[in-house]
Amino acid sequence: MRGKVFNIRKLVFKLIFKLKLKIVSVINLIKFKLIWSIGRKCIFEGSIYIHDPSANVEIGDNVRFGPMVRIGGCSGSKIKIGNNVSINQGSYIISEESIVIGDDCRIGEYISIRDNDHRYQNPSTLIRKQGFMSKSVVIGNDVWIGRGSVICKGVSIGDGAVIGANSVVTKDVETMSVVAGIPAKVIKIRQ
């Protein structure tokens, strides 16, 4: 008898959790469709922080956002996310210029993709007052970016590439390359 009660509680918990997830996703979808171009069957699994709603954001079909994802852009910047992409919990996509993510990409938890850095060259001016330098980021199709990685400004990542967990990508990554480390270096080629 005790086992049945436990299983019923477990089932009720699962149903409530799925219902809550669906409600949050629908509310986010309605809210974001007011400011972004969003494809079909997109899922928002939790709160999504939007830095500036004036950025030009396009999201393809079947894109899944984990909880606590941050999408940020300034007026005139562009963020384009292809079809069948998953962006996991705690990831940041911050654009001053342009970030393009291709189709079928897997973006792990706590990833940072930024097309900009702070300027810091003038030691007589506070860093926060020196502005930003930016250069577009392009991520090809079928790319897997491992947990905790950082994609820096000006980087292009070729189709089918794999970025190892906790890597810092500062240079272009060729198609079908597997890179890892700080800074990321090629460790093998997918064949």
Side-chain angles (χ1 to χ4, degrees):
M1 181 69 171
R2 199 169 192 184
K4 269 188 176 181
V5 171
F6 179 74
N7 285 339
I8 291 171
R9 285 183 183 165
K10 213 173 176 181
L11 179 64
V12 168
F13 177 80
K14 280 183 180 180
L15 290 173
I16 291 171
F17 180 78
K18 284 183 179 183
L19 181 61
K20 181 182 172 192
L21 183 64
K22 187 70 173 171
I23 290 169
V24 167
S25 187
V26 168
I27 289 169
N28 280 331
L29 188 60
I30 292 167
K31 183 171 61 173
F32 298 142
K33 279 195 173 194
L34 295 173
I35 57 173
W36 293 345
S37 171
I38 298 179
R40 296 176 304 112
K41 297 184 180 178
C42 291
I43 298 172
F44 299 89
E45 292 183 347
S47 61
I48 307 293
Y49 178 79
I50 303 168
H51 175 70
D52 183 345
S54 65
N56 179 14
V57 178
E58 296 176 43
I59 299 170
D61 296 334
N62 303 310
V63 176
R64 186 187 66 75
F65 291 88
M68 298 178 293
V69 169
R70 183 174 180 145
I71 306 290
C74 62
S75 181
S77 67
K78 174 179 133 183
I79 298 172
K80 183 175 182 185
I81 300 169
N83 299 319
N84 307 309
V85 173
S86 65
I87 301 170
N88 285 293
Q89 178 173 331
S91 292
Y92 280 54
I93 301 172
I94 309 295
S95 176
E96 290 276 323
E97 189 173 306
S98 174
I99 295 174
V100 177
I101 299 171
D103 296 336
D104 302 301
C105 291
R106 298 291 164 253
I107 297 173
E109 302 96 344
Y110 307 103
I111 303 299
S112 175
I113 302 171
R114 298 171 187 262
D115 68 0
N116 61 83
D117 281 330
H118 286 278
R119 292 186 187 278
Y120 59 88
Q121 287 77 6
N122 185 347
S124 62
T125 303
L126 295 172
I127 293 171
R128 69 180 171 84
K129 292 187 175 186
Q130 292 187 47
F132 297 93
M133 44 190 162
S134 59
K135 194 170 179 189
S136 296
V137 170
V138 177
I139 298 171
N141 298 319
D142 190 31
V143 172
W144 175 24
I145 303 174
R147 185 184 206 274
S149 293
V150 176
I151 310 301
C152 296
K153 74 177 185 317
V155 168
S156 288
I157 299 175
D159 294 345
V162 176
I163 312 300
N166 299 307
S167 296
V168 177
V169 181
T170 59
K171 295 184 175 155
D172 290 353
V173 176
E174 296 294 322
T175 298
M176 294 297 182
S177 294
V178 178
V179 301
I182 303 172
K185 294 182 172 37
V186 176
I187 57 173
K188 71 189 230 181
I189 303 297
R190 293 177 61 206
Q191 295 180 350

